[in-house]
Amino acid sequence: MNMGDLLTHDEYKAIAAGLDFPTQAFIDGSFRPAISGKTFETTNPATGAVLARVASCGPEDVDFAVAKARDAFEDGRWSRLHPTARKEILLRFTRLLKRNARELAVLESLDSGKTIYDCENVDVPETIHCLTWHAELIDKIYDQVSPASDNHIAMVVREPVGVVGLVLPWNFPLLMLAWKIGPALAAGNSVIVKPAKETTLTALRVAELAMEAGIPAGVFNVLPGGGADVGEPLGRHMDVDMVSFTGSTETGRRFPRYSAESNLKEVTLEMGGKNPAVVLDDAENLDRVAAHLVNGAFWNMGENCSASSRLIVQRGIKDELLKRMVAHAREWPMGDPLAPENRVGALVSKAHFEKVASYLEKGQKIVLGGKARDGFVEPTIIDVADREAKAVREEIFGPILTVLTVESYDEAIALANDTEYGLAASIYTANAKRAIRGARAIRAGTVTVNCFGEGDITTPFGGFKSSGFGGRDNGIHAHDQYTRIKTIWIDLTDDVDEAVS
């Protein structure tokens, strides 16, 4: 999609005014209030206006949803459905999402502060593509027969894990939902989705469309609410078989503890990042490099775990590169997220805005931006001399890029690895050997060469060190975390002596 395919600002506002917001939990195929009757406000980050009051679930709702999800899994209404039948239902689901794509885009923008430009061009199309890809994969993943003697058959088969808790972040509500439910549902699991409290609306609407598509009751459940009220009870529940978490490293660290203190459920974690972009002095086409760096730092307001938040550049090209980056930043206007010309919207909440704004300290060498007001933070570039500065070491999760100057390739790679995180990185150089050596030397789950990105739906995504462990999103590898491997050993012998030999 391009600007010519987008609507006008007034047309988007008209769609927003006519939306009917989903406000209740979705359990066992229907919307229900929280058992406690509690609700919470969800607001538009760009205006502060209350959009709706949403059911605030608690441990009792978790118990109810887990019981319904377990019933659905054990009776096989989804888990034992023929793979082709599951595929057809999921493809019907994607067609419904496509039919409602514009509504979902506006809903996502209103609830999260994301620009309608990104919601229409990236989030919604990629959500549909992700779910379609995993649906199509269902009947194309084969089990195996291992080498064995003529007297035995050894089968290696995949089985769904069971009841899976999916804990989502607020920065990509729709897309992260798809990254998790795509492989989890394709494998035959029952899922309980816990959306971020800040961004609940699209997950509830998607659950409604899933039911309309024919996904059976109890298979796809959504519980809005806080981490202590829903996330922790899911993590500690004795009848939840697995939790997949995407979010901050601080919160993610809690789930292995919940698992250890309950039923040793499987846990996969995709967490934070402080991702380096290394630009060596032989990089070609600095204008193109600058465009990638600006995109990597400011896309989605920097609320992106794989954002290029640390620019590590050799001194010889630094000034020219920064000049070109400032020029490209003019292509990223900030303002009302529903105005299609804007590329930078509001940060997701008042609390997060205040956290990001706190990194704009006085006395810093500001190359670009540096202002924050009313929920919006300007795209900002800070030239930093102190490598231990807070803005260099901590994950900001906002549109703030720190610039670090180095003299050599070796210094650049060492500085790239000087972080507790290891999610993503990029290296820019015209020398193929340095590119490959650098990509191998940087300790991160995804390293891009001469570009910013995360790969695509076919490539696994996840991190090292404090950025996570336990599995990968995207690609065939995503299915591995939602299945268990079972060996079935079959004895074909007839007499006892032969059988025990």
Side-chain angles (χ1 to χ4, degrees):
M1 187 178 290
N2 54 50
M3 286 296 290
D5 299 316
L6 299 174
L7 302 180
T8 66
H9 189 192
D10 286 342
E11 288 172 320
Y12 281 118
K13 288 195 293 185
I15 293 173
L19 287 177
D20 184 16
F21 299 116
T23 61
Q24 296 186 318
F26 192 86
I27 304 173
D28 199 31
S30 63
F31 284 112
R32 303 165 185 265
I35 292 172
S36 68
K38 293 180 180 178
T39 62
F40 64 88
E41 290 181 349
T42 188
T43 61
N44 181 340
T47 66
V50 175
L51 296 172
R53 294 200 65 88
V54 178
S56 185
C57 293
E60 61 274 22
D61 300 285
V62 173
D63 288 342
F64 180 60
V66 170
K68 293 301 181 182
R70 176 61 63 191
D71 288 345
F73 182 76
E74 297 299 342
D75 71 17
R77 70 188 76 160
W78 183 253
S79 58
R80 291 196 288 274
L81 203 60
H82 192 284
T84 302
R86 282 206 307 274
K87 179 178 79 170
E88 289 304 317
I89 292 172
L90 287 179
L91 289 176
R92 193 181 311 138
F93 178 34
T94 64
R95 290 193 292 271
L96 283 172
L97 292 172
K98 191 175 295 185
R99 195 178 305 161
N100 292 274
R102 184 144 276 159
E103 172 203 346
L104 289 168
V106 174
L107 195 59
E108 188 86 327
S109 179
L110 289 174
D111 204 22
S112 68
K114 298 165 70 77
T115 64
I116 194 66
Y117 180 94
D118 281 344
C119 292
E120 288 261 39
N121 283 292
V122 180
D123 295 67
V124 174
E126 287 299 314
T127 293
I128 296 168
H129 176 57
C130 173
L131 292 170
T132 303
W133 195 86
H134 286 293
E136 290 286 3
L137 193 62
I138 289 174
D139 55 5
K140 299 172 184 66
I141 298 180
Y142 287 73
D143 291 330
Q144 298 167 310
V145 176
S146 77
S149 73
D150 286 346
N151 293 327
H152 302 90
I153 294 177
M155 299 167 58
V156 182
V157 300
R158 294 179 181 85
E159 296 181 349
V161 171
V163 176
V164 176
L166 304 175
V167 183
L168 307 182
W170 45 252
N171 58 332
F172 291 97
L174 270 174
L175 193 50
M176 294 303 98
L177 175 67
W179 278 22
K180 293 188 186 300
I181 65 171
L185 292 176
N189 296 287
S190 295
V191 303
I192 300 169
V193 176
K194 189 262 180 235
K197 196 171 181 180
E198 296 86 346
T199 52
T200 61
L201 300 181
T202 47
L204 292 169
R205 178 64 176 130
V206 167
E208 186 176 25
L209 293 172
M211 187 68 180
E212 185 179 338
I215 293 177
V219 172
F220 186 177
N221 308 277
V222 179
L223 299 182
D229 297 320
V230 178
E232 182 174 347
L234 272 176
R236 293 186 179 278
H237 204 287
M238 296 297 291
D239 207 23
V240 171
D241 300 298
M242 175 199 165
V243 169
S244 176
F245 169 88
T246 297
S248 72
T249 300
E250 178 186 2
T251 302
R253 289 180 187 276
R254 300 171 186 168
F255 281 90
R257 185 172 74 249
Y258 299 157
S259 171
E261 293 172 355
S262 57
N263 61 341
L264 286 176
K265 60 178 61 62
E266 297 177 38
V267 174
T268 66
L269 303 173
E270 196 272 281
M271 303 187 290
K274 190 68 178 175
N275 309 296
V278 174
V279 184
L280 302 177
D281 58 9
D282 63 352
E284 294 180 330
N285 194 344
L286 285 187
D287 197 57
R288 184 175 181 274
V289 172
H292 275 288
L293 292 170
V294 166
N295 184 41
F298 304 141
W299 174 52
N300 203 53
M301 294 74 71
E303 296 173 330
N304 180 13
C305 56
S306 61
S308 300
S309 55
R310 290 187 298 147
L311 170 57
I312 300 169
V313 57
Q314 280 193 272
R315 187 177 303 278
I317 60 168
K318 173 185 170 183
D319 291 344
E320 181 61 24
L321 179 62
L322 288 180
K323 183 174 74 173
R324 292 171 185 261
M325 289 178 67
V326 169
H328 276 286
R330 298 192 191 105
E331 301 167 8
W332 290 72
M334 181 176 73
D336 184 348
L338 285 182
E341 66 273 13
N342 288 329
R343 299 296 308 279
V344 180
L347 298 189
V348 73
S349 67
K350 182 179 179 182
H352 186 61
F353 164 77
E354 291 173 350
K355 180 224 171 189
V356 172
S358 73
Y359 288 91
L360 300 174
E361 300 171 340
K362 292 182 179 179
Q364 297 180 110
K365 186 177 179 180
I366 303 292
V367 178
L368 173 74
K371 296 179 182 177
R373 183 179 178 184
D374 298 331
F376 292 81
V377 174
E378 287 183 332
T380 298
I381 299 175
I382 306 173
D383 193 353
V384 182
D386 179 7
R387 295 181 180 180
E388 298 303 316
K390 183 174 73 167
V392 173
R393 308 300 302 184
E394 298 177 4
E395 184 181 34
I396 300 173
F397 225 62
I400 298 175
L401 172 68
T402 56
V403 181
L404 300 163
T405 310
V406 294
E407 305 297 335
S408 68
Y409 164 86
D410 288 336
E411 184 185 5
I413 299 302
L415 189 54
N417 284 328
D418 185 20
T419 174
E420 67 173 297
Y421 297 104
L423 186 59
S426 55
I427 184 168
Y428 297 81
T429 174
N431 185 308
K433 288 184 179 180
R434 291 173 100 187
I436 295 170
R437 282 173 48 220
R440 288 180 171 176
I442 294 173
R443 293 190 291 275
T446 297
V447 182
T448 58
V449 177
N450 293 327
C451 65
F452 164 75
E454 298 174 351
D456 64 15
I457 188 63
T458 68
T459 55
F461 180 79
F464 300 166
K465 301 189 286 185
S466 292
S467 291
F469 63 85
R472 288 292 186 265
D473 291 314
N474 290 341
I476 293 176
H477 300 78
H479 285 243
D480 293 343
Q481 60 190 325
Y482 298 108
T483 58
R484 287 174 174 159
I485 299 299
K486 175 181 284 185
T487 295
I488 299 176
W489 184 263
I490 303 171
D491 189 336
L492 302 178
T493 57
D494 287 327
D495 76 40
V496 174
D497 291 337
E498 204 175 14
V500 298
S501 63

